[in-house]
């Protein structure tokens, strides 16, 4: 069996199509060469374990690597110092023995002594003695020893874990006087400086000393367009689909912003799910723009641990949920503030990022999933509009083609029937929500939509709808006078040019009492704009 795209556990080069990560391994090695103590903190399924295992192989010629995973310890191993120390020693010895042929006689002797302690199940063996043995091993090793701990934030007994971190810190600081690890790498979702978020309030007095020595880790672990193209070239060499590698790589990046598991998930759908289906009989038809849009639709309709984790965090942190709603529906910019817990959580858990000191949702996939969540909640209180949309649904599609003009015509009628008496302030804030709420049942199951980040602001939002492989560019804006409106038409025409479209749609939410609701067509050069005045 050949290679596959992987979305569970770590990627293995011999089994999986994967991005070449040599360049980032070299950057991480630079930190190790300097003897740094640092934390690799990224969101779930962001390639941490794949990177750490690749790093272990990358370092083995120059270093003796002790790579461990605290998740394999289980809760019971953090019961007390003795239990933890015995568990740590057992795993530490096992991983070092992979390079037993390089051991000095003194190192072999130390390890035999530790194995005897383990055999006797010595109940007096605790952290201090553990670190004394570790120091002896580091001093006797024929190569510098590097400690890597994956899932370092999975420890559940805070006292034992914090005591371990404190000892680790002390030995690292004194490494010029006492042999110790050359470099220490702790990996997990939570930065060690944020572990206080997992600690009981009564443990606040323990939070300070263990984590004030880690240097900043700023190696980019997301996939670039070039990274994705390299992976696709390997796939194409095996399957000869005839895909446009640069175009597919660019679109994969556009939807995922390089979030590793999302890239692999879309590729896996195009490779395994689409071929042999009614619309995509083979891999050649699947690895196209239409195939990618179908893969996006499928991914957004799935339940998976990544999406579930994101939704759970919104429930856990109401401040975070409120901030995300503000970002999505009002277009307001959220300035980055590392002391704001909601922002800190969104960035740490990976569904928001910081660009030019402004917080934004990390990628189109997450953004659309969040829109769908909030729209479903909004729909619970706006059943009339939702019901009208469901009733109208079948009249908008003919031979698989969606008539966006008809959608807008019906939306105007229902909007004015249901919300015509509402005040302007209410409409200005919520009008865009209502269109998306009306649109979603119409395209659900066949199409998808996303909000164009470049044009989202308080006055303007562009929605891109993908339906059966056809794209519809819809600009939504608040009416701010004739001159502003004309400029908006010209901007939309330019935007259509960027998307290689001849026709676009403009929804104006106009709160003037003398407005004339309805539909009209405007020609700007070779572009047709269908305008709906609400």
């Amino acid at each position: 069996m050949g290679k596959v795209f992987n979305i569970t556990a770590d990627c293995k080069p011999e089994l999986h199509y994967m991005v070449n990560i040599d360049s980032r391994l070299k950057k991480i090695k630079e930190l190790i060469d300097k003897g740094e103590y640092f934390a690799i903190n990224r969101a779930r399924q962001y390639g941490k374990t794949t990177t750490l295992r690749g790093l272990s192989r990358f370092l083995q010629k120059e270093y003796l690597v002790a790579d461990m995973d605290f998740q394999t310890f289980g809760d019971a191993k953090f019961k007390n110092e003795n239990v933890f120390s015995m568990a740590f020693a057992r795993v530490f010895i096992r991983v070092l023995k992979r390079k037993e042929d390089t051991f000095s006689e003194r190192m072999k002797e130390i390890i035999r002594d530790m194995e005897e302690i383990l055999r006797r199940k010595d109940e007096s063996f605790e952290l201090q003695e553990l670190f004394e043995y570790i120091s002896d091993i580091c001093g006797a090793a024929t190569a510098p020893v590097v400690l890597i701990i994956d899932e370092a934030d999975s420890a559940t007994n805070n006292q034992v874990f914090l005591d371990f971190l404190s000892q680790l810190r002390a030995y690292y600081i004194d490494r010029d006087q006492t042999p110790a690890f050359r470099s220490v790498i702790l990996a997990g979702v939570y930065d060690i400086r944020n572990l206080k978020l997992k600690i009981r309030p009564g443990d606040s007095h323990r939070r300070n000393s263990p984590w004030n020595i880690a240097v900043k880790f700023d190696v980019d672990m997301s996939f670039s367009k070039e990274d994705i193209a390299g992976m696709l070239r390997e796939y194409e060499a095996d399957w000869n689909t005839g895909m446009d590698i640069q175009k597919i790589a660019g679109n994969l990046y556009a939807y995922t912003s390089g979030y590793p598991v999302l890239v692999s998930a879309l590729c896996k759908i195009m490779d395994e799910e689409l071929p042999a289906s009614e619309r995509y009989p083979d891999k050649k038809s699947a690895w196209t723009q239409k195939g990618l849009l179908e893969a996006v639709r499928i991914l957004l309709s799935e339940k998976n641990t990544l999406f579930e984790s994101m939704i759970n965090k919104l429930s856990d942190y109401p401040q975070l949920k409120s901030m995300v709603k503000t970002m999505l529906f009002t277009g307001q910019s959220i300035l980055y503030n590392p002391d704001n817990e909601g922002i800190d959580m969104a960035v740490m858990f990976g569904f928001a990022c910081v660009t030019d000191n402004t917080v934004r949702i990390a990628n189109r996939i997450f953004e659309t999933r969040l829109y769908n969540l909030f729209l479903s909640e909004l729909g619970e209180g706006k059943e009339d509009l939702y019901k009208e949309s469901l009733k109208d649904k079948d009249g908008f599609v003919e031979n698989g083609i969606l008539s966006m003009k008809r959608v807008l015509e019906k939306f105007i009628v229902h909007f004015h029937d249901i919300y015509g008496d509402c005040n302007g302030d209410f409409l200005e804030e919520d009008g865009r929500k209502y269109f998306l709420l009306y649109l979603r049942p119409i395209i659900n199951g066949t199409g998808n939509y996303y909000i164009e980040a470049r044009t989202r602001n308080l006055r303007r939002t562009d929605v891109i709808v993908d339906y059966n492989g056809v794209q519809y560019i819809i600009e939504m804006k608040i009416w701010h006078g004739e001159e502003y409106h004309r400029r908006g038409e010209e901007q939309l025409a330019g935007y259509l040019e960027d998307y290689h479209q001849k026709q676009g749609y403009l929804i104006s939410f106009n709160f003037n009492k003398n407005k004339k609701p309805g539909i009209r067509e405007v020609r700007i050069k070779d572009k047709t704009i269908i305008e709906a005045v609400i």
Side-chain angles (χ1 to χ4, degrees):
M1 183 177 176
K3 291 184 178 182
V4 297
F5 290 101
N6 179 47
I7 57 174
T8 58
D10 66 303
C11 291
K12 304 182 188 303
E14 66 277 11
L15 299 176
H16 304 130
Y17 293 110
M18 57 182 291
V19 162
N20 187 316
I21 61 173
D22 287 351
S23 61
R24 67 203 64 176
L25 295 181
K26 290 177 182 176
K27 290 180 181 178
I28 299 173
K29 183 176 179 294
E30 290 175 5
L31 294 174
I32 294 168
D33 291 340
K34 294 176 183 177
E36 301 287 14
Y37 180 125
F38 58 97
I40 299 178
N41 304 109
R42 294 294 184 273
R44 297 196 181 282
Q45 297 181 282
Y46 213 92
K48 295 185 297 295
T49 301
T50 297
T51 298
L52 293 179
R53 294 193 175 184
L55 181 65
S56 182
R57 293 189 294 269
F58 194 72
L59 297 174
Q60 62 185 352
K61 290 183 179 179
E62 298 180 42
Y63 295 97
L64 183 59
V65 180
D67 51 338
M68 310 173 74
D69 184 344
F70 271 6
Q71 200 167 41
T72 64
F73 278 35
D75 293 351
K77 296 299 190 294
F78 294 92
K79 179 180 179 181
N80 56 49
E81 276 197 33
N82 173 250
V83 173
F84 173 80
S85 298
M86 298 286 278
F88 189 96
R90 186 174 291 107
V91 177
F92 185 65
I93 291 170
R94 188 182 73 240
V95 297
L96 288 183
K97 277 190 166 184
R98 295 171 189 161
K99 295 190 71 175
E100 191 170 7
D101 59 326
T102 68
F103 289 178
S104 66
E105 289 303 316
R106 173 60 181 151
M107 188 168 170
K108 291 177 183 177
E109 180 183 341
I110 298 166
I111 288 179
R112 282 196 296 270
D113 290 345
M114 292 183 72
E115 289 175 327
E116 176 60 21
I117 290 172
L118 294 172
R119 187 188 67 76
R120 295 198 318 262
K121 298 181 179 179
D122 188 341
E123 293 184 1
S124 66
F125 185 72
E126 295 189 339
L127 287 173
Q128 183 174 345
E129 192 172 2
L130 170 67
F131 274 94
E132 288 172 357
Y133 272 104
I134 289 174
S135 179
D136 289 343
I137 286 175
C138 290
T142 56
V145 183
V146 174
L147 176 66
I148 301 175
I149 301 178
D150 196 7
E151 302 291 348
D153 56 352
S154 64
T156 56
N157 185 297
N158 301 310
Q159 181 65 65
V160 172
F161 181 54
L162 295 182
D163 287 346
F164 167 75
L165 282 181
S166 294
Q167 290 270 24
L168 183 62
R169 172 186 182 274
Y171 270 82
Y172 175 79
I173 289 175
D174 292 338
R175 66 194 183 283
D176 58 331
Q177 301 175 26
T178 305
F181 297 116
R182 171 62 179 270
S183 183
V184 175
I185 306 169
L186 304 178
V189 174
Y190 286 82
D191 189 318
I192 55 173
R193 290 165 295 185
N194 290 111
L195 278 172
K196 61 185 180 182
L197 295 168
K198 296 185 74 176
I199 297 174
R200 299 184 303 272
D203 293 328
S204 58
H205 63 286
R206 304 177 190 152
R207 297 180 187 175
N208 298 319
S209 63
W211 38 68
N212 61 0
I213 59 172
V215 300
K216 183 178 181 181
F217 179 80
D218 56 4
V219 176
D220 187 0
M221 292 175 62
S222 64
F223 295 167
S224 67
K225 177 182 174 180
E226 291 71 27
D227 288 334
I228 299 169
M231 178 173 63
L232 294 184
R233 277 193 286 271
E234 182 185 3
Y235 177 86
E236 185 66 6
D238 289 342
W239 294 101
N240 299 309
T241 69
M243 77 169 86
D244 185 333
I245 290 176
Q246 289 301 319
K247 183 177 181 180
I248 296 296
N251 284 321
L252 282 168
Y253 182 81
Y255 275 93
T256 65
S257 295
Y259 197 113
V261 74
L262 295 179
V263 174
S264 296
L266 291 174
C267 289
K268 192 173 185 68
I269 292 170
M270 287 188 284
D271 177 49
E272 298 178 14
E273 291 189 41
L274 293 189
S277 65
E278 183 178 347
R279 294 177 58 195
Y280 302 94
D282 51 30
K283 291 185 184 293
K284 182 176 182 179
S285 58
W287 285 92
T288 59
Q289 175 69 4
K290 287 186 177 182
L292 173 57
L293 296 179
E294 178 66 8
V296 169
R297 187 194 65 78
I298 291 172
L299 179 60
L300 283 167
S301 67
E302 291 178 346
K303 289 191 70 172
N304 58 49
T305 56
L306 182 61
F307 292 153
E308 287 174 357
S309 175
M310 179 171 65
I311 302 308
N312 288 339
K313 293 300 181 292
L314 296 178
S315 298
D316 293 341
Y317 301 97
Q319 179 187 4
L320 171 60
K321 185 172 183 177
S322 176
M323 181 191 73
V324 171
K325 277 188 174 181
T326 298
M327 291 167 59
L328 294 180
F329 287 115
T330 71
Q332 292 182 21
S333 296
I334 305 293
L335 294 180
Y336 177 62
N337 178 357
D339 298 320
N340 181 300
E341 184 175 279
I343 293 174
D344 199 29
M345 291 297 96
V347 173
M348 185 170 66
F349 293 128
F351 56 90
C353 60
V354 181
T355 304
D356 298 327
N357 207 42
T358 300
V359 183
R360 64 177 180 83
I361 303 302
N363 54 69
R364 289 180 186 172
I365 299 293
F366 286 172
E367 187 174 77
T368 304
R369 187 77 178 208
L370 289 167
Y371 267 113
N372 288 343
L373 170 68
F374 296 142
L375 288 173
S376 66
E377 293 176 348
L378 179 67
E380 293 171 3
K382 311 295 177 187
E383 291 86 353
D384 290 343
L385 185 62
Y386 190 82
K387 288 177 182 177
E388 293 298 339
S389 176
L390 288 174
K391 282 194 288 186
D392 294 339
K393 181 178 178 179
D394 293 338
F396 296 134
V397 179
E398 187 173 342
N399 298 323
I401 304 299
L402 175 67
S403 173
M404 188 59 68
K405 182 177 180 181
R406 257 185 261 166
V407 172
L408 297 183
E409 288 172 340
K410 284 289 189 179
F411 176 66
I412 292 174
V413 173
H414 297 314
F415 190 90
H416 281 279
D417 286 346
I418 299 171
Y419 305 114
D421 295 331
C422 295
N423 63 61
D425 291 339
F426 174 77
L427 294 174
E428 184 159 344
E429 180 179 348
D430 292 336
R432 295 166 181 167
K433 296 181 189 178
Y434 295 154
F435 175 69
L436 293 176
L437 180 65
Y438 185 77
L439 176 68
R440 190 178 169 219
I442 296 168
I443 64 174
N444 193 36
T446 304
N448 191 40
Y449 69 92
Y450 67 88
I451 310 299
E452 174 51 58
R454 289 179 295 172
T455 61
R456 187 199 301 109
N457 55 47
L458 289 171
R459 294 188 171 189
R460 179 183 175 196
T461 299
D462 284 321
V463 179
I464 316 299
V465 175
D466 298 318
Y467 191 92
N468 268 346
V470 178
Q471 286 194 316
Y472 303 81
I473 315 299
I474 308 164
E475 181 175 322
M476 295 184 288
K477 60 198 308 179
I478 306 302
W479 179 274
H480 287 283
E482 265 316 324
E483 182 59 31
Y484 178 80
H485 187 70
R486 279 195 296 272
R487 289 201 306 269
E489 292 172 344
E490 293 171 358
Q491 288 172 345
L492 177 56
Y495 200 44
L496 293 173
E497 187 69 26
D498 293 341
Y499 269 79
H500 309 292
Q501 298 284 333
K502 294 292 186 183
Q503 183 165 287
Y505 304 86
L506 176 61
I507 304 175
S508 291
F509 293 96
N510 189 331
F511 306 109
N512 295 336
K513 292 182 179 179
N514 297 325
K515 68 182 179 185
K516 293 183 179 180
I519 296 281
R520 66 170 184 154
E521 290 191 10
V522 176
R523 292 282 298 179
I524 299 180
K525 297 181 180 178
D526 64 336
K527 309 299 182 188
T528 299
I529 297 175
I530 297 176
E531 295 188 2
V533 177
I534 308 295

